[in-house]
Amino acid sequence: GRLAQEHGPRMAIGVGAGTISLSMAAVPLVGDPALVLGAMVGMQLGIGAIFPMLSGTMQEAVSKNHPTLIMQAMQLQNSCGFLGMVAGAGVVGTIGSEFGFLPAYLVSAGGLLAVGAVTALRFPIPIIDRNRKDI
């Protein structure tokens, strides 16, 4: 949340997607369980940078323009997330079954990085007021 407040949504999405992607790509390359755990923690930190900001941005936009639709918008966001998880699991699972563990993780990480970059580029570069006292 603070990353998005101080540097804007573009930075939060970029840092979060980059962290998730790098961590995900590292999982099949490290053999030690402690390093795999570290990569999994990295993925969760990236998720923590992205999802609260996306939810907050969506809620803010809907509440300003169509306040009566806030619950529908939140449900649509959740449904899209679940649809992505199911579709991603099917695609990456098939790649993993056919080509192995490493290609599956690398395709998944690359896809996430591409989607994160496209999403981040949709946000304007913010003009940050460094004198604000509320952040």
Side-chain angles (χ1 to χ4, degrees):
R2 187 162 179 91
L3 180 65
Q5 284 180 334
E6 290 184 5
H7 301 287
R10 180 181 279 206
M11 177 68 75
I13 293 171
V15 168
T19 302
I20 296 168
S21 298
L22 290 174
S23 298
M24 191 178 295
V27 167
L29 301 176
V30 297
D32 186 54
L35 294 176
V36 171
L37 180 62
M40 301 297 277
V41 168
M43 289 188 325
Q44 293 304 313
L45 289 172
I47 289 169
I50 292 177
F51 288 105
M53 186 279 311
L54 286 177
S55 294
T57 301
M58 184 273 306
Q59 290 174 15
E60 181 181 359
V62 172
S63 65
K64 283 182 181 177
N65 298 314
H66 304 285
T68 59
L69 299 178
I70 189 71
M71 294 307 290
Q72 290 174 351
M74 290 172 62
Q75 183 56 40
L76 179 61
Q77 179 186 14
N78 287 338
S79 297
C80 289
F82 293 136
L83 180 63
M85 283 189 268
V86 169
V91 170
V92 174
T94 301
I95 292 170
S97 296
E98 296 296 321
F99 302 104
F101 189 59
L102 179 62
Y105 265 85
L106 294 179
V107 165
S108 182
L112 176 65
L113 195 57
V115 169
V118 169
T119 303
L121 291 173
R122 293 186 47 85
F123 285 93
I125 298 174
I127 299 171
I128 305 297
D129 181 3
R130 298 286 177 203
N131 297 319
R132 282 181 53 187
K133 302 295 183 207
D134 62 334
I135 59 174

